[in-house]
Amino acid sequence: MPTLKSEFLQIMTERGFIHQCSDLDGLDKAGSEGRIVAYAGYDCTAPSLHVGHLISIMMLSWLQKTGGKPIALMGGGTTRVGDPSGKDETRQIRTVEEIDANKESIKRVFSNFLTFGSAKSDALMVDNAEWLAPLNYIEFLRDVGRHFSVNRMLTMDSAKLRLDREQELSFIEFNYMLLQSYDFVELNRRYGCNLQMGGSDQWGNIVTGIDLGRRMGVKEQLFGLTCPLLTTSSGAKMGKTASGAVWLNEAQLSAYDYWQFWRNTEDADVARFLKLFTMLPLDEIARLSSLGGAEINEAKKTLATEATALVHGREKAEAAAETARKTFEQGALATDLPTIEISSAEFDAGLGVLTAFVKAGLVASNSEARRQIQGGGLKINDEAVTSDKAVIKATDAVSNGVIKLSLGKKKHVLLKPV
């Protein structure tokens, strides 16, 4: 790796963010001269982003900290089409109302990472529906579509992998590449944006956007930078658990469960995740990474607290750490564990143990609950569940009025009869 002058690219390199770059020397020169305006795009397919999006958000944050200008692009327009990248089937088409509601919900997380305003390095949040929704289709084909080669588009992974598996690729999805490429051109025209960042699965779309800019008369050089799509050391996709995605919004996942996700990091991933998902100095990360044996758990707790503080705030992160300490180290029932309210009428009707654990989000399905029961993995008030026919009653509540459900030793949810 050549010596880099740009502080932003130095950090990206040292902390493991860079997978591909269209022109590292050119981008380094732009960065050293304070000329990087970069965007990352986020489609509004759910009410919250998840941990898989976090790496690009961290890249935007580091860019701002080193003097660059970040743009968080909301995909109010592209979400109406659906990105085929990494998908085996066509995404569900969502209504404009659903997309707008999701957009408003996912915006919240960015204020924890970026400072928005009108100063030179203040972040912007824009919505590509501003320029995509009013497009005239015939004019778009004449002005933009003529610059695309179908032959080349079919070689891009987003299309090629789907076709190689003989899986349908709809015409609406095929247009996604055009729209994302046009986003780059519009952001350059409106805000001087010269860098697009994203996951490695977006590389084809990003370089196509660079090429479209050249063909449509963008005079300055455009750049593309991708981060790796992370998997854990055991090969699992980063951000996925048995019970679903690891959401960033607290309405979808409690701060405590978010903390627990990071606390359960595999030993081999601790150093890498500390570099990517915390702002800790590298020398402190090196110290934590050198811990061995049982001390590695201290590094995991630090990772969990620092990563949670970025998303949910320091107070909630430390509260989650304290809840975990009380629950696991003292064996106490910490009342600030995630709590699900269940009506007394539902208890009176007979709340089946399978239903209860699914409602609590500890398992994804009844069949998974049955498998956990067979392996001794489910507990109620610290007593193992032995039958999938068991029924939980309101009278099972302990002295503080809650019922503790547990999956293994580390995942707990309280049921509160109301």
Coordinates of all heavy atoms in Angstrom, one line a residue, residues 69 85 105 191 221 284 332 340 354 361 417:
K69 N -16.9 16.4 3.3 CA -18.3 16.7 3.4 C -19.1 15.4 3.1 O -19.1 14.9 1.9 CB -18.7 17.8 2.5 CG -20.2 18.3 2.7 CD -20.5 19.5 1.8 CE -21.9 20.1 2.1 NZ -21.9 20.8 3.4
S85 N -29.1 -6.3 -6.3 CA -27.8 -6.7 -5.9 C -27.9 -7.7 -4.7 O -28.5 -7.3 -3.7 CB -26.9 -5.5 -5.4 OG -26.7 -4.6 -6.5
S105 N -38.3 7.1 9.5 CA -37.9 6.3 10.6 C -36.4 6.1 10.6 O -35.7 6.2 11.7 CB -38.6 5.0 10.7 OG -38.2 4.2 11.8
Y191 N -24.2 19.3 -5.6 CA -23.5 19.5 -4.4 C -22.0 19.3 -4.6 O -21.2 19.4 -3.6 CB -23.9 18.5 -3.3 CG -25.4 18.6 -3.1 CD1 -26.3 17.6 -3.5 CD2 -26.0 19.7 -2.5 CE1 -27.6 17.6 -3.3 CE2 -27.4 19.8 -2.3 CZ -28.2 18.7 -2.7 OH -29.5 18.8 -2.5
Q221 N -13.0 14.7 -11.9 CA -12.9 13.3 -11.8 C -13.8 12.8 -10.7 O -13.9 13.3 -9.6 CB -11.5 12.8 -11.5 CG -11.3 11.3 -11.5 CD -9.9 10.9 -11.3 OE1 -9.0 11.8 -11.3 NE2 -9.6 9.6 -11.3
E284 N -5.2 1.8 21.7 CA -6.0 1.2 22.7 C -6.6 -0.1 22.1 O -6.8 -1.1 22.8 CB -7.1 2.1 23.1 CG -8.2 1.6 24.0 CD -7.7 1.1 25.4 OE1 -6.5 1.3 25.7 OE2 -8.5 0.5 26.1
A332 N -28.5 -11.7 39.4 CA -29.7 -11.0 39.8 C -30.7 -10.9 38.6 O -30.3 -11.0 37.5 CB -29.3 -9.6 40.3
I340 N -41.5 -7.3 27.5 CA -42.7 -7.4 26.6 C -44.0 -7.4 27.5 O -44.1 -8.3 28.4 CB -42.6 -8.7 25.8 CG1 -41.3 -8.7 25.0 CG2 -43.8 -8.7 24.8 CD1 -41.2 -7.7 23.9
L354 N -44.4 -22.0 23.5 CA -43.8 -21.7 22.1 C -44.2 -20.3 21.7 O -43.3 -19.5 21.2 CB -44.4 -22.7 21.1 CG -44.1 -24.2 21.4 CD1 -44.7 -25.1 20.3 CD2 -42.6 -24.5 21.6
G361 N -39.2 -12.7 20.9 CA -38.1 -12.5 20.0 C -36.9 -13.3 20.2 O -35.9 -13.1 19.6
P417 N -47.2 -9.2 32.8 CA -48.7 -9.2 32.7 C -49.3 -7.8 33.0 O -48.9 -7.2 33.9 CB -49.1 -10.2 33.8 CG -47.9 -11.0 34.2 CD -46.8 -10.1 33.9

